[in-house]
Amino acid sequence: MNSEGRDHIATLLLSIGNSLGFGDARRDKNPLPLGAHEGASLVEELSSECLGLIPVSLKKEEGESLSGQLNIVSSQLWNGDHSLLKMMMGTIGEMDKTCIKTREQILVFLGKWIKSLGKRVRDYATEMKETCFQCFRKEQSNIIKIAALKVLLKLFQLRINSFEQSQKSVVNDMYNTLYSEFVVNKASQTVRSLILQLLGLFGHIYPSHIEDKSQQFIHVIMDNLQTQFKSNKPDMQLIAGAFEGLSYVLNSFKEVFLKNPKNIQTLYQYLSLTLNPPSHITRYDIPKAGLRFLSF
C-alpha cells in the first residue's frame, strides 16, 4: 500500500470519529453534516478496504506476526489516540441510534479482522479484549453487548499466550461480571447464550483459576437446559449456548460433572431431543450445537 492508500484510511478514521463525535469532533462548533447511516457506511467501507489487503494465502497459514503493509494498517486501525478502539472507549454509553449502529459495525469489523488474521493480532489483542469487555460491562445497548461478546469469544478461542497467563484476579473479575449479568436475567437471550459460551471457554482455558466455580457453572447450565426443554416456547439460542458452554467446561471438569449421576441421565435425554428435532423447524442451531458437543 502506498502513502495515498494510508492517507485514505486515515481520512476514513477521522470521518468515523466525526460521525461519533469523538475527540476533536466534540469541540467542533461546525461538525460535518452526516446522514443517518453514514458512520456505519464509513466503517463498512474501511472494513472492505482493509480486509481486502489480506492475501487469501495468509488466512490459511499459521503465524503470529505481521509485516509490511498489514503491520502498518493494523497500527492505524487499532493503535493510537485516533484508533477504532479509542473511539469505542471514548463513546461508551452513547445511546443515539446512529452512534450505536456505527459502533456495532466497528465491532463487526474487529471480529472479521481477528478471524482473518488469527494470532497475528496478538500485538493489539490485550487492548482489543479490554475494550470489548468494558463495552460489555458498561453499555446499556444489547446490540453492543452482543457484538462485544462475539469478539471476545473469537479472541479467547485463539489461545494467545498473554491471555492464558492472565492473573487469577483478572480472570475472576471477568467471570464474575459475566456470571452476574447472566443470573440477573435482564439481558436478552442472545446475550445470555453468548455468556454461557464464554464462561465455558474460561473453564477450558483457565481451569485452575475458576476451579471453585466449576460446580456452580455446571449446575447453571443443566438447570437452564431443563427449563428450556420443559418450556412451551424454548429459546433455541440459549439451548445452543448451553451446549457450547458445557462442551468447553467438560474438557477440564468432567469429574465434577460425573459426580452427580443425574447429570448423565439428563444430558443424554436432552442430547437425544437435540439430535432428533421436529420436522417443521427452520433453524438448526440446536442440532448443530448437539453435534459439535459430541465431536468436541
Side-chain angles (χ1 to χ4, degrees):
M1 173 180 284
N2 55 29
S3 59
E4 184 178 345
R6 292 193 293 272
D7 288 344
H8 182 56
I9 289 175
T11 300
L12 284 172
L13 287 168
L14 181 60
S15 299
I16 293 166
N18 284 338
S19 75
L20 292 170
F22 171 75
D24 293 339
R26 291 183 182 276
R27 299 186 292 273
D28 192 345
K29 296 180 181 179
N30 298 294
L32 294 173
L34 294 166
H37 302 289
E38 188 164 342
S41 298
L42 289 169
V43 178
E44 289 175 358
E45 180 182 346
L46 179 66
S47 173
S48 178
E49 181 162 338
C50 294
L51 291 171
L53 297 172
I54 304 173
V56 175
S57 59
L58 187 67
K59 298 177 184 180
K60 298 178 181 179
E61 295 173 0
E62 293 292 331
E64 297 189 15
S65 61
L66 288 173
S67 60
Q69 66 176 7
L70 281 176
N71 193 33
I72 295 171
V73 171
S74 289
S75 181
Q76 279 188 285
L77 293 173
W78 315 115
N79 190 36
D81 293 336
H82 300 285
S83 71
L84 292 173
L85 296 180
K86 283 292 191 294
M87 292 180 202
M88 291 297 297
M89 290 296 289
T91 55
I92 281 180
E94 293 284 351
M95 291 303 291
D96 174 77
K97 289 183 179 180
T98 305
C99 183
I100 289 174
K101 184 64 178 176
T102 301
R103 298 174 76 246
E104 178 193 18
Q105 286 304 310
I106 290 175
L107 291 170
V108 170
F109 173 29
L110 175 55
K112 290 178 180 178
W113 189 260
I114 294 167
K115 183 178 180 180
S116 296
L117 292 178
K119 289 187 177 181
R120 292 181 178 87
V121 304
R122 64 176 184 173
D123 289 344
Y124 311 101
T126 298
E127 190 170 357
M128 290 173 177
K129 177 194 71 174
E130 290 301 319
T131 299
C132 290
F133 184 62
Q134 291 306 319
C135 285
F136 169 79
R137 170 180 265 170
K138 297 179 179 179
E139 286 285 354
Q140 296 180 38
S141 166
N142 275 322
I143 292 173
I144 301 299
K145 286 180 179 287
I146 290 167
L149 285 169
K150 287 180 178 179
V151 176
L152 286 170
L153 274 168
K154 286 184 173 69
L155 277 171
F156 280 101
Q157 285 166 348
L158 293 176
R159 305 292 298 269
I160 294 173
N161 288 338
S162 59
F163 285 10
E164 296 194 7
Q165 295 166 3
S166 296
Q167 295 180 350
K168 184 174 182 177
S169 60
V170 175
V171 175
N172 280 338
D173 178 52
M174 293 187 72
Y175 182 98
N176 291 335
T177 299
L178 291 161
Y179 184 80
S180 296
E181 182 83 8
F182 183 87
V183 297
V184 165
N185 209 27
K186 290 182 179 180
S188 71
Q189 296 294 61
T190 304
V191 170
R192 300 179 83 228
S193 171
L194 291 166
I195 287 174
L196 287 181
Q197 293 177 57
L198 194 51
L199 290 178
L201 187 56
F202 280 6
H204 181 40
I205 299 174
Y206 307 112
S208 61
H209 290 1
I210 67 166
E211 185 175 5
D212 57 334
K213 300 176 174 63
S214 59
Q215 187 170 354
Q216 176 194 57
F217 179 61
I218 289 171
H219 174 75
V220 166
I221 285 186
M222 299 305 293
D223 185 59
N224 272 272
L225 282 174
Q226 184 177 41
T227 299
Q228 292 303 317
F229 275 105
K230 288 185 176 181
S231 171
N232 292 327
K233 294 182 178 180
D235 188 276
M236 304 301 179
Q237 284 185 307
L238 194 54
I239 293 173
F243 276 120
E244 295 279 4
L246 187 60
S247 66
Y248 281 126
V249 81
L250 287 184
N251 279 275
S252 302
F253 300 108
K254 190 186 331 184
E255 294 78 10
V256 176
F257 181 83
L258 294 176
K259 279 182 181 179
N260 185 349
K262 187 179 177 180
N263 283 341
I264 303 171
Q265 179 184 355
T266 304
L267 180 59
Y268 176 79
Q269 177 186 353
Y270 294 152
L271 272 175
S272 298
L273 292 171
T274 295
L275 299 174
N276 294 280
S279 58
H280 64 272
I281 67 168
T282 57
R283 293 185 58 177
Y284 292 89
D285 299 28
I286 296 180
K288 287 179 181 177
L291 288 170
R292 279 195 294 270
F293 178 87
L294 291 174
S295 63
F296 203 90

